[in-house]
Each structure stands twice: as C-alpha cells, then as structure tokens.
Amino acid sequence: ENFLNVSDQLLLAVWQEVSRHLDIGESTKTVAVRVREHAPIQSIIVRQLDAEHRWVRTVASWPDESTDVTAEAELSAPNWRRLERWLR
C-alpha cells in the first residue's frame, strides 16, 4: 500500500527532482509541471535570501519569460524582519 498522501507524494517528487541538479534553474520547469498536476499555478519563483546584507535575489523562475520578477532587492530592516517572521 501507498502510505503517503498526495501532498507528501508531491513534496517527495519535488525534492527528488531538485536534488538531481546542481542548479535550481535546471529543475524549475519540471517541478512546475509536477505541481500543475495538483494546483492551478501560473508561475514559480525561487528566491535566495542573504540575511547579512538583507537582500533577496531571484535564482530561478518559471515560465522563463516572467517579466514582473525583480532580480535582486535589498530590504529595509523592518521589511527584512517581516520576511523573517513570515518564514517561521
């Protein structure tokens, strides 16, 4: 029997795909296709956070032609704290 529910199966499939590649950009499209099988998404944006400098950088997106994605942004101290609280 399959002991994983659908969301656990999806999470496992995403982790397996991401771990196959050194660059997250290489797996973003495949992950998007898998997620779209379960949810009506229009895009995926993967961001890298740097706490020391309080910046957020886009490292991958799907579809590639996402035009409303800011590549890099430095956050003010209050906005960085809000982001940290949201991530917890």
Side-chain angles (χ1 to χ4, degrees), residues 45-47 56-60 66-74:
I45 300 171
V46 180
R47 310 241 175 166
V56 178
R57 182 170 64 110
T58 301
V59 294
S66 296
T67 57
D68 59 344
V69 177
T70 303
E72 191 171 309
E74 184 176 350

Side-chain angles (χ1 to χ4, degrees), residues 12-13 31 43 45 68 85:
L12 178 61
V31 167
S43 64
I45 300 171
D68 59 344
R85 283 192 305 271

Side-chain angles (χ1 to χ4, degrees), residues 3 9-11 23-24 35 42 49 52 64 77:
F3 296 104
Q9 290 174 9
L10 177 60
L11 185 58
D23 180 3
I24 188 70
V35 172
Q42 294 180 353
L49 307 177
E52 182 180 347
D64 293 334

Side-chain angles (χ1 to χ4, degrees), residues 14-32:
V14 167
W15 276 111
Q16 287 173 333
E17 179 60 31
V18 169
S19 67
R20 288 185 182 118
H21 303 279
L22 294 175
D23 180 3
I24 188 70
E26 295 175 2
S27 59
T28 305
K29 180 179 179 180
T30 305
V31 167

